[in-house]
Amino acid sequence: MTLLRDRDLARAFDHASRTYDRLTGLNPGYRADLLRSARRLGLPEDGAGLHLLDLGCGTGASTQALLRAAPRARITAVDASAGMLRRARTKPWPDTVRFLHLSAEELATAGEGPFDAVFAAYLFRNVSDPDRVLGAVRGLLRPGGRLAVHEYSLGGSPAHRALWTAVCQGVIIPAGTLTGDRALYRHLWHSVLDFDRASDFTGRLTRAGFTGVRALPVAGWQTGITHTFVARNGSATAGEATR
């Protein structure tokens, strides 16, 4: 299968935005896992004085997780899908949260930032050039800034691939077919199989110049399928280490 990319993928998400929250609600622990990953940024003092980026915010579930993890921070949330952003904006948000219609690649030249931390959920396997986007993220982060990537990235066991395929064929793709979004959810299935394994993505982060890279498992049925990757943009300064 040819994976959806760029405008084709954004249009598919536009269409799926009507039912996206309902379908993700079928995944046990979906929102709790996002919150756990956002908290793994380890932001001090509830994020007071910090400016955070939610990269690929979708309908706002990851933004809500970031807001709960750092309720005193300013948050800029961006996504390439206008439909997903429309859904996100209909939800109640404090004045400290704003949404922008930009792709990850466009953000680098949009004059935004710098950011103290970046949270990216379910993004990197959907971009055409992950290395380019990681380079853009480094450019948007302050020195010592923190990154947390919440992503479907399989472990090394064949059982992880088999379980993912069973879940997709038995639940995700049939549910997406009912909503008219079969192509998007077949893309989801194959994009995970084709993406970096967890050890490969940690290597990709290291090669991009991030330090302290770790892959942390997600609990429940997604163990070995979904990971939180945490890293820093170089070494923290003395002030950042104690904030």
Side-chain angles (χ1 to χ4, degrees):
M1 173 186 171
T2 301
L3 297 178
L4 299 173
R5 291 299 186 205
D6 304 322
R7 291 181 181 177
D8 290 336
L9 183 58
R11 282 194 290 266
F13 274 117
D14 287 345
H15 188 271
S17 64
R18 301 167 297 113
T19 57
Y20 191 80
D21 287 339
R22 194 183 317 153
L23 288 182
T24 57
L26 298 175
N27 180 350
Y30 180 86
R31 286 166 178 76
D33 290 338
L34 284 172
L35 178 58
R36 182 179 296 108
S37 288
R39 285 175 171 163
R40 284 171 167 171
L41 281 166
L43 300 174
E45 300 178 9
D46 289 337
L50 302 183
H51 188 190
L52 313 181
L53 173 64
D54 182 15
L55 188 58
C57 64
T59 60
S62 56
T63 315
Q64 183 61 46
L66 196 54
L67 181 62
R68 288 183 63 189
R72 300 173 65 191
R74 287 188 298 127
I75 298 173
T76 296
V78 303
D79 202 275
S81 165
M84 300 291 267
L85 281 176
R86 278 194 297 271
R87 292 287 169 177
R89 286 170 172 151
T90 64
K91 300 171 184 179
W93 301 101
D95 293 339
T96 53
V97 176
R98 65 174 182 144
F99 293 91
L100 297 176
H101 182 207
L102 293 168
S103 69
E105 293 85 349
E106 291 168 339
L107 186 64
T109 58
E112 296 294 326
F115 297 96
D116 297 285
V118 174
F119 186 45
Y122 305 118
L123 170 77
F124 278 96
R125 61 188 166 73
N126 284 324
V127 299
S128 300
D129 189 343
D131 294 322
R132 180 184 173 192
V133 175
L134 284 172
V137 169
R138 278 203 70 202
L140 290 165
L141 270 173
R142 295 184 188 278
R146 307 177 192 205
L147 171 67
V149 176
H150 179 94
E151 187 57 273
Y152 293 120
S153 181
L154 301 176
S157 170
H160 300 149
R161 294 178 65 89
L163 176 57
W164 175 246
T165 292
V167 169
C168 286
Q169 293 184 343
V171 179
I172 295 173
I173 294 173
T177 300
L178 292 175
T179 64
D181 299 303
R182 179 178 175 84
L184 177 62
Y185 292 104
R186 281 182 57 81
H187 162 87
L188 169 62
W189 172 30
H190 286 281
S191 70
V192 175
L193 296 180
D194 289 355
F195 188 58
D196 295 348
R197 293 186 300 178
S199 58
D200 298 323
F201 192 65
T202 57
R204 188 188 292 273
L205 286 163
T206 300
R207 290 192 301 274
F210 289 94
T211 59
V213 179
R214 292 183 294 154
L216 306 173
V218 170
W221 75 269
Q222 294 187 92
T223 300
I225 294 175
T226 308
H227 292 81
T228 315
F229 300 88
V230 293
R232 278 187 178 267
N233 182 21
S235 300
T237 65
E240 287 168 331
T242 59
R243 275 201 307 190

